[in-house]
Coordinates of all heavy atoms in Angstrom, one line a residue:
K367 N 76.1 36.5 17.8 CA 77.1 35.8 18.6 C 78.5 36.2 18.2 O 79.4 36.4 19.0 CB 76.9 34.3 18.5 CG 77.8 33.5 19.4 CD 77.4 33.6 20.9 CE 78.2 32.7 21.7 NZ 78.2 33.1 23.1
N368 N 78.8 36.3 16.9 CA 80.1 36.6 16.4 C 80.5 38.0 16.8 O 81.7 38.3 17.1 CB 80.2 36.5 14.9 CG 80.2 35.1 14.4 OD1 80.5 34.2 15.1 ND2 79.9 34.9 13.1
Q369 N 79.6 39.0 16.9 CA 79.9 40.3 17.2 C 79.8 40.6 18.7 O 80.3 41.6 19.2 CB 78.9 41.3 16.5 CG 79.3 41.3 15.0 CD 78.7 42.5 14.3 OE1 78.5 43.6 14.9 NE2 78.5 42.4 13.0
N370 N 79.1 39.7 19.4 CA 78.9 39.8 20.9 C 79.1 38.4 21.5 O 78.2 37.8 21.9 CB 77.5 40.3 21.3 CG 77.2 41.7 20.7 OD1 77.9 42.7 21.0 ND2 76.2 41.7 19.8
P371 N 80.4 38.0 21.7 CA 80.7 36.7 22.2 C 80.0 36.3 23.5 O 79.7 35.2 23.8 CB 82.2 36.6 22.3 CG 82.7 37.7 21.4 CD 81.6 38.8 21.4
S372 N 79.7 37.3 24.3 CA 79.0 37.0 25.6 C 77.5 36.8 25.5 O 76.9 36.4 26.4 CB 79.3 38.1 26.6 OG 78.8 39.4 26.1
W373 N 77.0 37.1 24.3 CA 75.5 36.9 24.1 C 75.2 35.5 24.2 O 75.7 34.7 23.4 CB 75.1 37.6 22.8 CG 73.6 37.6 22.6 CD1 72.7 38.4 23.2 CD2 72.8 36.7 21.8 NE1 71.4 38.1 22.8 CE2 71.4 37.1 21.9 CE3 73.1 35.6 20.9 CZ2 70.4 36.5 21.3 CZ3 72.1 35.0 20.3 CH2 70.7 35.4 20.4
E374 N 74.2 35.1 25.0 CA 73.7 33.7 25.1 C 72.2 33.7 25.1 O 71.6 34.5 25.7 CB 74.2 33.1 26.3 CG 75.7 32.6 26.2 CD 76.0 31.5 27.3 OE1 75.1 30.7 27.6 OE2 77.1 31.6 27.8
C375 N 71.7 32.8 24.4 CA 70.3 32.5 24.4 C 70.1 31.0 24.3 O 70.4 30.4 23.3 CB 69.6 33.2 23.3 SG 67.8 33.0 23.3
G376 N 69.7 30.4 25.4 CA 69.6 28.9 25.4 C 68.6 28.4 24.3 O 68.9 27.5 23.5
R377 N 67.5 29.1 24.2 CA 66.5 28.7 23.1 C 65.7 30.0 22.8 O 65.2 30.6 23.7 CB 65.6 27.6 23.6 CG 64.6 27.1 22.5 CD 63.7 26.0 23.0 NE 62.6 26.5 23.9 CZ 62.4 26.3 25.1 NH1 63.2 25.4 25.8 NH2 61.4 26.8 25.8
V378 N 65.5 30.3 21.6 CA 64.7 31.4 21.2 C 63.3 30.9 21.1 O 63.0 30.0 20.3 CB 65.2 32.0 19.8 CG1 64.2 33.1 19.4 CG2 66.6 32.5 19.9
E379 N 62.4 31.5 21.9 CA 61.0 31.0 21.9 C 60.1 31.9 21.0 O 59.1 31.4 20.5 CB 60.5 31.0 23.4 CG 59.2 30.4 23.5 CD 58.8 30.2 25.0 OE1 59.5 29.4 25.6 OE2 57.9 30.8 25.5
N380 N 60.5 33.1 20.8 CA 59.7 34.1 20.0 C 60.6 35.1 19.5 O 61.7 35.4 20.0 CB 58.6 34.7 20.9 CG 57.4 35.2 20.1 OD1 57.5 35.3 18.8 ND2 56.3 35.4 20.7
I381 N 60.2 35.8 18.4 CA 61.0 36.8 17.8 C 60.1 38.0 17.3 O 58.9 37.7 16.9 CB 61.8 36.3 16.6 CG1 62.8 37.3 16.1 CG2 61.0 35.7 15.5 CD1 63.9 36.8 15.2
S382 N 60.6 39.2 17.4 CA 59.9 40.3 16.8 C 60.9 41.1 16.0 O 62.0 41.3 16.4 CB 59.4 41.2 18.0 OG 58.7 42.3 17.4
C383 N 60.5 41.4 14.8 CA 61.4 42.1 13.8 C 60.7 43.4 13.4 O 59.5 43.5 13.2 CB 61.6 41.2 12.6 SG 62.4 39.7 13.0
R384 N 61.6 44.5 13.2 CA 61.1 45.8 12.7 C 62.1 46.5 11.9 O 63.3 46.2 12.1 CB 60.6 46.6 13.9 CG 61.8 47.1 14.8 CD 61.3 48.0 15.9 NE 62.5 48.6 16.6 CZ 62.4 49.3 17.7 NH1 61.2 49.5 18.2 NH2 63.5 49.8 18.3
A385 N 61.7 47.4 11.1 CA 62.6 48.3 10.3 C 63.0 49.4 11.2 O 62.1 50.0 11.9 CB 62.0 48.7 9.1
E386 N 64.3 49.7 11.3 CA 64.8 50.8 12.1 C 64.0 52.1 11.9 O 63.6 52.8 12.8 CB 66.3 51.0 11.9 CG 66.8 52.1 12.7 CD 68.2 52.5 12.3 OE1 68.6 52.4 11.1 OE2 69.0 52.9 13.1
K387 N 63.9 52.5 10.6 CA 63.2 53.8 10.3 C 61.7 53.8 10.3 O 61.1 54.8 10.2 CB 63.8 54.3 8.9 CG 65.2 54.7 9.0 CD 65.7 55.4 7.8 CE 67.2 55.7 8.0 NZ 67.6 56.6 7.0
F388 N 61.1 52.6 10.3 CA 59.7 52.4 10.3 C 59.3 51.5 11.4 O 58.6 50.4 11.1 CB 59.2 51.9 8.9 CG 59.7 52.8 7.8 CD1 60.8 52.4 7.1 CD2 59.0 54.0 7.5 CE1 61.3 53.2 6.0 CE2 59.5 54.8 6.4 CZ 60.6 54.4 5.7
P389 N 59.6 51.8 12.7 CA 59.3 50.8 13.8 C 57.9 50.4 14.0 O 57.6 49.4 14.6 CB 60.0 51.5 15.0 CG 59.9 52.9 14.7 CD 60.1 53.0 13.2
D390 N 56.9 51.3 13.6 CA 55.5 51.0 13.9 C 54.8 50.4 12.7 O 53.6 50.1 12.8 CB 54.8 52.3 14.3 CG 55.4 52.9 15.6 OD1 55.8 52.1 16.5 OD2 55.5 54.1 15.7
I391 N 55.5 50.1 11.6 CA 54.9 49.5 10.5 C 55.3 48.0 10.5 O 56.5 47.7 10.5 CB 55.3 50.2 9.1 CG1 54.9 51.6 9.1 CG2 54.7 49.4 7.9 CD1 55.4 52.4 7.9
P392 N 54.3 47.1 10.5 CA 54.6 45.7 10.4 C 55.5 45.4 9.2 O 55.3 45.9 8.1 CB 53.3 45.0 10.3 CG 52.3 46.0 10.9 CD 52.9 47.3 10.5
I393 N 56.5 44.5 9.3 CA 57.4 44.3 8.2 C 56.7 43.7 7.0 O 57.2 44.0 5.9 CB 58.6 43.4 8.6 CG1 58.2 42.0 9.1 CG2 59.5 44.1 9.7 CD1 59.4 41.1 9.3
E394 N 55.6 43.0 7.2 CA 54.9 42.5 6.0 C 54.2 43.6 5.2 O 53.8 43.4 4.1 CB 53.9 41.4 6.4 CG 52.9 41.8 7.4 CD 53.3 41.6 8.9 OE1 54.4 41.2 9.2 OE2 52.4 41.8 9.7
N395 N 54.1 44.8 5.8 CA 53.5 45.9 5.1 C 54.6 46.8 4.4 O 54.2 47.9 3.9 CB 52.7 46.7 6.0 CG 51.4 46.0 6.5 OD1 51.1 44.9 6.0 ND2 50.8 46.5 7.5
L396 N 55.8 46.5 4.5 CA 56.9 47.3 4.0 C 57.2 47.0 2.5 O 58.0 47.8 1.9 CB 58.2 47.2 4.8 CG 58.1 47.7 6.2 CD1 59.3 47.3 7.0 CD2 57.8 49.2 6.3
G397 N 56.7 46.0 1.9 CA 57.0 45.6 0.5 C 58.3 45.0 0.3 O 58.9 45.1 -0.8
Q398 N 58.9 44.4 1.3 CA 60.2 43.8 1.2 C 60.1 42.3 1.4 O 59.2 41.9 2.2 CB 61.2 44.4 2.1 CG 61.5 45.9 1.9 CD 62.9 46.3 2.1 OE1 63.5 45.9 3.1 NE2 63.5 47.0 1.1
N399 N 61.0 41.6 0.8 CA 61.1 40.1 1.1 C 62.1 39.9 2.2 O 63.3 40.1 2.0 CB 61.6 39.4 -0.2 CG 60.6 39.5 -1.3 OD1 59.4 39.4 -1.1 ND2 61.0 39.7 -2.5

């Protein structure tokens, strides 16, 4: 929101996260916290 003041999301219902360089590897398999 700070970087994109026009971004709005009334409520986040679901989220998907990925590593930019490893988009097909689930984040829980990357060995990072």
Side-chain angles (χ1 to χ4, degrees):
K367 184 72 174 162
N368 287 342
Q369 292 198 25
N370 301 296
S372 63
W373 187 76
E374 279 198 38
C375 184
R377 184 181 78 241
V378 176
E379 191 169 292
N380 203 346
I381 187 168
S382 183
C383 298
R384 70 181 186 183
E386 175 193 35
K387 291 189 179 191
F388 306 99
D390 297 324
I391 299 175
I393 63 171
E394 57 271 6
N395 294 349
L396 294 172
Q398 296 217 312
N399 294 318

